[in-house]
Amino acid sequence: VQLVESGGGLVQAGGSLRLSCVAPGINFDDYAIGWFRQAPGKDHDRVSCIASNRGITYYSNSVKGRFTISADTAKNTVYLQMNDLKPEDTAVYYCAAADGVSSRVDDPGWCILVAGTGDWGQGTRVTVTS
């Protein structure tokens, strides 16, 4: 699965960005898709995941209330709307898509499964200045 992220950039604290992840050929009934990020010198962190066929989303505590994940199945695209950005949101953001995980959303760690079993895009950089 080839994933292409876009939408990153440089923004001031309090600003907004919308990231896009195009996933051609994916059947959203089977796949769960997530956004993950890696800040300089740190490990990858979960940000948000979506199993659109189940209408289920996950958000990390650090972004809950500020970020919104959504899917446009007609466009095979998942979006991450990021509002009220903070300098600590600075990172390379990646999307990942995992086949079969959408049927496992009853597992509390299902978003981790997306990261662990899915295909990843090349990332898009987000820089938030104070």
Side-chain angles (χ1 to χ4, degrees):
V1 176
Q2 194 168 20
L3 306 172
V4 179
E5 303 99 329
S6 63
L10 177 68
V11 64
Q12 287 188 328
S16 298
L17 286 173
R18 189 177 78 157
L19 305 184
S20 298
C21 172
V22 180
I26 279 182
N27 184 341
F28 277 62
D29 286 338
D30 299 324
Y31 278 77
I33 298 179
W35 285 97
F36 305 85
R37 65 187 181 187
Q38 186 174 28
K42 296 187 177 181
D43 292 333
H44 287 90
D45 282 336
R46 284 175 294 172
V47 176
S48 181
C49 290
I50 185 168
S52 57
N53 67 322
R54 300 285 299 273
I56 292 175
T57 57
Y58 163 88
Y59 295 95
S60 69
N61 287 334
S62 62
V63 307
K64 200 173 292 183
R66 299 187 297 123
F67 291 11
T68 303
I69 192 169
S70 62
D72 185 336
T73 57
K75 296 183 178 180
N76 275 85
T77 301
V78 171
Y79 302 99
L80 186 68
Q81 178 67 43
M82 306 187 296
N83 298 330
D84 190 23
L85 283 160
K86 303 176 181 181
E88 51 264 41
D89 294 318
T90 294
V92 178
Y93 284 71
Y94 301 86
C95 69
D99 189 9
V101 175
S102 62
S103 63
R104 302 179 64 178
V105 294
D106 294 330
D107 183 335
W110 70 275
C111 190
I112 298 175
L113 291 176
V114 176
T117 65
D119 296 301
W120 289 62
Q122 83 289 346
T124 184
R125 185 175 301 276
V126 172
T127 303
V128 185
T129 60
S130 56

